[in-house]
Amino acid sequence: MKSVLFTRFFILLPWILIVIIMLDVDTRKPAPPLTPRPYFSPYAVGRGGARLPLRRGGPAHGTQKRNQSRPQPQPEPQLPTIYAITPTYSRPVQKAELTRLANTFRQVAQLHWILVEDAAARSELVSRFLARAGLPSTHLHVPTPRRYKRPGLPRATEQRNAGLAWLRQRHQHQRAQPGVLFFADDDNTYSLELFQEMRTTRKVSVWPVGLVGGRRYERPLVENGKVVGWYTGWRADRPFAIDMAGFAVSLQVILSNPKAVFKRRGSQPGMQESDFLKQITTVEELEPKANNCTKVLVWHTRTEKVNLANEPKYRLDTVKIEV
Ligand code: UGA
Ligand code: MN
């Protein structure tokens, strides 16, 4: 009798074990899928694939409904928009310059790029480039009259004025949103810190510029938080001895001085900045940035003229490539 019971037990044992294992597997949580960690991008992908810088604070759209009963986070004060006006003209290095600029600007929150072509029409190259740049932007154009395209004459006067006119027109009817304007030539080098500094401009702010004026840098001299003079090696008699890359102006100042523009008439080489700044501020009023103007955060680099001596005149490449 005992042996019969034993045999039955041993026959049933594997089945009992199988049932136990299956029950155990069923109740176990599924293993996490082996997917890579999500790639962190500081940009949100907007409609149409445009990459927009994430706005600070505030819940995302999808989560808004679910969280309605929870206390809402206080919205942060609005970040002033930085408007960067860039004059640009067609030449072999243009796309390379614009690429470098876009790579910098894309990392700056709330920046609007006003790109002004020195041309009779918007070029295909720049239009295509801007469409893919992933930046809030405005594409303008105005040609420099032929008589002003001469060495020794100021450059980009008409283009900067076109940018100013666009800004004034855009803010014509609404109360001015907080904003800061900055003239960003396409061949300079910009540190990201520079944008943090200029963002707090109340009227007109200034800072040093590297590799300019025949020196390693030029800078405003500051005493007790006020600009009292200029460290420069070139035309020290300039009322504002500063490069175009060395200052920013609040949108409010641009709007309340509607006649302030860059002038061709009577403008001497190197005096564009002074002629413009004289119309909107005084040296005493300037706000020194970059640690009382002791840090270089922008460089007047200038790109070397490219050597195309071996470009073929005939027997061209079989494909047409945009450079
Ligand atoms: C210096 C200053 O840094 C400029 O801000 C100033 O406009 C210029 O002198 C001047 O002489 O007017 P520099 O490096 O000599 O700069 O000038 P560029 O960089 O050749 O030109 C300044 C800006 O104007 C650039 O963004 C450039 O793309 C644009 N530009 C230049 C045009 O739109 N059209 C031109 O024919 C030449
Ligand atoms: Mn330049």
Side-chain angles (χ1 to χ4, degrees), residues 195-220:
F195 301 93
Q196 288 175 9
E197 293 287 324
M198 72 170 80
R199 184 101 62 185
T200 54
T201 301
R202 276 174 292 139
K203 286 185 166 177
V204 180
S205 62
V206 289
W207 52 77
V209 177
L211 317 178
V212 75
R215 289 197 177 179
R216 287 165 61 238
Y217 60 86
E218 280 183 348
R219 76 177 189 101

mmCIF file of all heavy atoms in Angstrom, residues 195-220:
data_model
loop_
_atom_site.group_PDB
_atom_site.id
_atom_site.type_symbol
_atom_site.label_atom_id
_atom_site.label_comp_id
_atom_site.label_asym_id
_atom_site.label_seq_id
_atom_site.Cartn_x
_atom_site.Cartn_y
_atom_site.Cartn_z
ATOM 1 N N PHE A 195 25.057 86.333 -23.586
ATOM 2 C CA PHE A 195 23.607 86.516 -23.680
ATOM 3 C C PHE A 195 22.975 86.646 -22.293
ATOM 4 O O PHE A 195 22.015 87.375 -22.103
ATOM 5 C CB PHE A 195 22.984 85.383 -24.514
ATOM 6 C CG PHE A 195 23.571 85.354 -25.900
ATOM 7 C CD1 PHE A 195 24.654 84.547 -26.195
ATOM 8 C CD2 PHE A 195 23.098 86.203 -26.870
ATOM 9 C CE1 PHE A 195 25.237 84.554 -27.456
ATOM 10 C CE2 PHE A 195 23.669 86.233 -28.139
ATOM 11 C CZ PHE A 195 24.744 85.401 -28.428
ATOM 12 N N GLN A 196 23.549 85.946 -21.323
ATOM 13 C CA GLN A 196 23.090 86.112 -19.933
ATOM 14 C C GLN A 196 23.341 87.537 -19.473
ATOM 15 O O GLN A 196 22.537 88.132 -18.773
ATOM 16 C CB GLN A 196 23.850 85.172 -18.999
ATOM 17 C CG GLN A 196 23.461 83.726 -19.141
ATOM 18 C CD GLN A 196 24.334 82.822 -18.278
ATOM 19 O OE1 GLN A 196 25.116 83.294 -17.452
ATOM 20 N NE2 GLN A 196 24.198 81.532 -18.469
ATOM 21 N N GLU A 197 24.487 88.062 -19.860
ATOM 22 C CA GLU A 197 24.852 89.422 -19.438
ATOM 23 C C GLU A 197 23.913 90.451 -20.067
ATOM 24 O O GLU A 197 23.371 91.316 -19.393
ATOM 25 C CB GLU A 197 26.294 89.729 -19.838
ATOM 26 C CG GLU A 197 27.328 88.914 -19.097
ATOM 27 C CD GLU A 197 27.499 89.345 -17.652
ATOM 28 O OE1 GLU A 197 27.398 90.554 -17.381
ATOM 29 O OE2 GLU A 197 27.715 88.468 -16.795
ATOM 30 N N MET A 198 23.705 90.346 -21.371
ATOM 31 C CA MET A 198 22.922 91.397 -22.059
ATOM 32 C C MET A 198 21.431 91.309 -21.744
ATOM 33 O O MET A 198 20.713 92.277 -21.884
ATOM 34 C CB MET A 198 23.151 91.349 -23.568
ATOM 35 C CG MET A 198 22.514 90.192 -24.270
ATOM 36 S SD MET A 198 22.585 90.379 -26.060
ATOM 37 C CE MET A 198 24.251 89.867 -26.404
ATOM 38 N N ARG A 199 20.977 90.138 -21.291
ATOM 39 C CA ARG A 199 19.537 89.943 -21.058
ATOM 40 C C ARG A 199 18.994 90.943 -20.028
ATOM 41 O O ARG A 199 17.846 91.308 -20.059
ATOM 42 C CB ARG A 199 19.314 88.511 -20.572
ATOM 43 C CG ARG A 199 17.876 88.138 -20.387
ATOM 44 C CD ARG A 199 17.305 87.334 -21.489
ATOM 45 N NE ARG A 199 17.909 86.055 -21.728
ATOM 46 C CZ ARG A 199 17.553 85.282 -22.742
ATOM 47 N NH1 ARG A 199 16.587 85.652 -23.567
ATOM 48 N NH2 ARG A 199 18.149 84.132 -22.940
ATOM 49 N N THR A 200 19.839 91.408 -19.126
ATOM 50 C CA THR A 200 19.369 92.308 -18.059
ATOM 51 C C THR A 200 19.564 93.788 -18.412
ATOM 52 O O THR A 200 19.471 94.646 -17.529
ATOM 53 C CB THR A 200 20.108 91.999 -16.742
ATOM 54 O OG1 THR A 200 21.520 92.057 -17.013
ATOM 55 C CG2 THR A 200 19.763 90.620 -16.213
ATOM 56 N N THR A 201 19.819 94.080 -19.676
ATOM 57 C CA THR A 201 20.011 95.473 -20.107
ATOM 58 C C THR A 201 18.763 96.300 -19.784
ATOM 59 O O THR A 201 17.655 95.920 -20.158
ATOM 60 C CB THR A 201 20.265 95.507 -21.640
ATOM 61 O OG1 THR A 201 21.411 94.716 -21.919
ATOM 62 C CG2 THR A 201 20.454 96.934 -22.140
ATOM 63 N N ARG A 202 18.944 97.418 -19.070
ATOM 64 C CA ARG A 202 17.783 98.284 -18.807
ATOM 65 C C ARG A 202 17.639 99.315 -19.918
ATOM 66 O O ARG A 202 16.574 99.527 -20.445
ATOM 67 C CB ARG A 202 17.899 98.934 -17.437
ATOM 68 C CG ARG A 202 17.371 97.980 -16.342
ATOM 69 C CD ARG A 202 17.589 98.493 -14.972
ATOM 70 N NE ARG A 202 19.010 98.519 -14.661
ATOM 71 C CZ ARG A 202 19.616 99.498 -14.020
ATOM 72 N NH1 ARG A 202 18.940 100.554 -13.626
ATOM 73 N NH2 ARG A 202 20.904 99.432 -13.762
ATOM 74 N N LYS A 203 18.753 99.988 -20.274
ATOM 75 C CA LYS A 203 18.713 100.928 -21.412
ATOM 76 C C LYS A 203 19.764 100.531 -22.447
ATOM 77 O O LYS A 203 19.455 99.969 -23.470
ATOM 78 C CB LYS A 203 18.921 102.358 -20.916
ATOM 79 C CG LYS A 203 17.690 102.889 -20.197
ATOM 80 C CD LYS A 203 17.866 104.326 -19.834
ATOM 81 C CE LYS A 203 16.527 104.937 -19.437
ATOM 82 N NZ LYS A 203 16.701 106.332 -19.017
ATOM 83 N N VAL A 204 21.020 100.869 -22.140
ATOM 84 C CA VAL A 204 22.102 100.478 -23.057
ATOM 85 C C VAL A 204 23.226 99.872 -22.220
ATOM 86 O O VAL A 204 23.699 100.516 -21.268
ATOM 87 C CB VAL A 204 22.636 101.696 -23.850
ATOM 88 C CG1 VAL A 204 23.756 101.279 -24.801
ATOM 89 C CG2 VAL A 204 21.505 102.379 -24.619
ATOM 90 N N SER A 205 23.621 98.647 -22.549
ATOM 91 C CA SER A 205 24.704 98.015 -21.790
ATOM 92 C C SER A 205 25.938 97.848 -22.679
ATOM 93 O O SER A 205 25.821 97.802 -23.910
ATOM 94 C CB SER A 205 24.253 96.668 -21.237
ATOM 95 O OG SER A 205 23.918 95.802 -22.294
ATOM 96 N N VAL A 206 27.100 97.767 -22.054
ATOM 97 C CA VAL A 206 28.375 97.672 -22.791
ATOM 98 C C VAL A 206 29.296 96.646 -22.134
ATOM 99 O O VAL A 206 29.149 96.344 -20.942
ATOM 100 C CB VAL A 206 29.107 99.048 -22.842
ATOM 101 C CG1 VAL A 206 28.392 100.021 -23.746
ATOM 102 C CG2 VAL A 206 29.291 99.636 -21.446
ATOM 103 N N TRP A 207 30.260 96.136 -22.912
ATOM 104 C CA TRP A 207 31.212 95.142 -22.417
ATOM 105 C C TRP A 207 32.424 95.120 -23.350
ATOM 106 O O TRP A 207 32.376 95.706 -24.444
ATOM 107 C CB TRP A 207 30.530 93.763 -22.368
ATOM 108 C CG TRP A 207 29.889 93.392 -23.669
ATOM 109 C CD1 TRP A 207 30.506 92.935 -24.792
ATOM 110 C CD2 TRP A 207 28.494 93.493 -24.008
ATOM 111 N NE1 TRP A 207 29.591 92.732 -25.797
ATOM 112 C CE2 TRP A 207 28.342 93.071 -25.344
ATOM 113 C CE3 TRP A 207 27.340 93.901 -23.302
ATOM 114 C CZ2 TRP A 207 27.108 93.037 -25.999
ATOM 115 C CZ3 TRP A 207 26.124 93.859 -23.955
ATOM 116 C CH2 TRP A 207 26.014 93.434 -25.282
ATOM 117 N N PRO A 208 33.506 94.455 -22.966
ATOM 118 C CA PRO A 208 34.702 94.419 -23.824
ATOM 119 C C PRO A 208 34.483 93.584 -25.084
ATOM 120 O O PRO A 208 33.605 92.722 -25.127
ATOM 121 C CB PRO A 208 35.753 93.736 -22.938
ATOM 122 C CG PRO A 208 35.232 93.828 -21.544
ATOM 123 C CD PRO A 208 33.746 93.822 -21.653
ATOM 124 N N VAL A 209 35.296 93.847 -26.106
ATOM 125 C CA VAL A 209 35.295 93.039 -27.339
ATOM 126 C C VAL A 209 36.735 92.609 -27.603
ATOM 127 O O VAL A 209 37.652 93.436 -27.567
ATOM 128 C CB VAL A 209 34.740 93.840 -28.541
ATOM 129 C CG1 VAL A 209 34.812 92.999 -29.826
ATOM 130 C CG2 VAL A 209 33.303 94.277 -28.284
ATOM 131 N N GLY A 210 36.926 91.331 -27.864
ATOM 132 C CA GLY A 210 38.271 90.796 -28.110
ATOM 133 C C GLY A 210 38.694 90.952 -29.562
ATOM 134 O O GLY A 210 37.852 90.985 -30.466
ATOM 135 N N LEU A 211 40.006 91.043 -29.781
ATOM 136 C CA LEU A 211 40.618 91.022 -31.128
ATOM 137 C C LEU A 211 40.110 92.151 -32.018
ATOM 138 O O LEU A 211 39.660 91.931 -33.143
ATOM 139 C CB LEU A 211 40.365 89.665 -31.812
ATOM 140 C CG LEU A 211 40.549 88.412 -30.954
ATOM 141 C CD1 LEU A 211 40.214 87.155 -31.744
ATOM 142 C CD2 LEU A 211 41.973 88.326 -30.409
ATOM 143 N N VAL A 212 40.157 93.350 -31.502
ATOM 144 C CA VAL A 212 39.634 94.479 -32.278
ATOM 145 C C VAL A 212 40.482 95.731 -32.031
ATOM 146 O O VAL A 212 41.198 95.818 -31.028
ATOM 147 C CB VAL A 212 38.138 94.726 -31.905
ATOM 148 C CG1 VAL A 212 37.977 95.392 -30.552
ATOM 149 C CG2 VAL A 212 37.388 95.483 -32.988
ATOM 150 N N GLY A 213 40.389 96.662 -32.960
ATOM 151 C CA GLY A 213 41.076 97.944 -32.779
ATOM 152 C C GLY A 213 42.592 97.813 -32.724
ATOM 153 O O GLY A 213 43.265 98.648 -32.114
ATOM 154 N N GLY A 214 43.127 96.775 -33.371
ATOM 155 C CA GLY A 214 44.583 96.583 -33.376
ATOM 156 C C GLY A 214 45.131 96.136 -32.035
ATOM 157 O O GLY A 214 46.332 96.204 -31.785
ATOM 158 N N ARG A 215 44.250 95.693 -31.132
ATOM 159 C CA ARG A 215 44.692 95.207 -29.821
ATOM 160 C C ARG A 215 44.070 93.859 -29.528
ATOM 161 O O ARG A 215 43.168 93.426 -30.229
ATOM 162 C CB ARG A 215 44.245 96.186 -28.722
ATOM 163 C CG ARG A 215 45.012 97.472 -28.764
ATOM 164 C CD ARG A 215 44.873 98.229 -27.466
ATOM 165 N NE ARG A 215 45.700 99.430 -27.554
ATOM 166 C CZ ARG A 215 45.791 100.328 -26.606
ATOM 167 N NH1 ARG A 215 45.101 100.194 -25.494
ATOM 168 N NH2 ARG A 215 46.566 101.380 -26.744
ATOM 169 N N ARG A 216 44.522 93.219 -28.438
ATOM 170 C CA ARG A 216 43.893 91.955 -28.027
ATOM 171 C C ARG A 216 42.444 92.188 -27.657
ATOM 172 O O ARG A 216 41.601 91.325 -27.827
ATOM 173 C CB ARG A 216 44.667 91.330 -26.875
ATOM 174 C CG ARG A 216 46.005 90.730 -27.343
ATOM 175 C CD ARG A 216 46.941 90.432 -26.192
ATOM 176 N NE ARG A 216 46.337 89.458 -25.284
ATOM 177 C CZ ARG A 216 46.135 89.692 -23.995
ATOM 178 N NH1 ARG A 216 46.482 90.833 -23.451
ATOM 179 N NH2 ARG A 216 45.580 88.778 -23.232
ATOM 180 N N TYR A 217 42.170 93.371 -27.133
ATOM 181 C CA TYR A 217 40.778 93.707 -26.814
ATOM 182 C C TYR A 217 40.642 95.213 -26.641
ATOM 183 O O TYR A 217 41.633 95.929 -26.435
ATOM 184 C CB TYR A 217 40.305 93.009 -25.519
ATOM 185 C CG TYR A 217 41.116 93.384 -24.302
ATOM 186 C CD1 TYR A 217 40.799 94.524 -23.553
ATOM 187 C CD2 TYR A 217 42.218 92.630 -23.908
ATOM 188 C CE1 TYR A 217 41.554 94.886 -22.444
ATOM 189 C CE2 TYR A 217 42.980 92.991 -22.811
ATOM 190 C CZ TYR A 217 42.636 94.117 -22.083
ATOM 191 O OH TYR A 217 43.400 94.479 -21.007
ATOM 192 N N GLU A 218 39.421 95.671 -26.755
ATOM 193 C CA GLU A 218 39.041 97.039 -26.368
ATOM 194 C C GLU A 218 38.045 96.893 -25.233
ATOM 195 O O GLU A 218 37.293 95.920 -25.200
ATOM 196 C CB GLU A 218 38.302 97.742 -27.517
ATOM 197 C CG GLU A 218 39.165 98.305 -28.611
ATOM 198 C CD GLU A 218 38.340 99.053 -29.669
ATOM 199 O OE1 GLU A 218 37.103 98.947 -29.684
ATOM 200 O OE2 GLU A 218 38.948 99.741 -30.486
ATOM 201 N N ARG A 219 38.007 97.887 -24.343
ATOM 202 C CA ARG A 219 36.986 97.791 -23.290
ATOM 203 C C ARG A 219 36.624 99.149 -22.726
ATOM 204 O O ARG A 219 37.457 100.070 -22.746
ATOM 205 C CB ARG A 219 37.440 96.860 -22.168
ATOM 206 C CG ARG A 219 38.471 97.472 -21.232
ATOM 207 C CD ARG A 219 38.808 96.507 -20.099
ATOM 208 N NE ARG A 219 39.633 97.171 -19.082
ATOM 209 C CZ ARG A 219 39.158 97.633 -17.928
ATOM 210 N NH1 ARG A 219 37.888 97.523 -17.629
ATOM 211 N NH2 ARG A 219 39.968 98.214 -17.059
ATOM 212 N N PRO A 220 35.406 99.263 -22.222
ATOM 213 C CA PRO A 220 35.055 100.490 -21.512
ATOM 214 C C PRO A 220 35.758 100.482 -20.149
ATOM 215 O O PRO A 220 35.839 99.444 -19.504
ATOM 216 C CB PRO A 220 33.533 100.373 -21.330
ATOM 217 C CG PRO A 220 33.094 99.295 -22.280
ATOM 218 C CD PRO A 220 34.255 98.360 -22.394
#
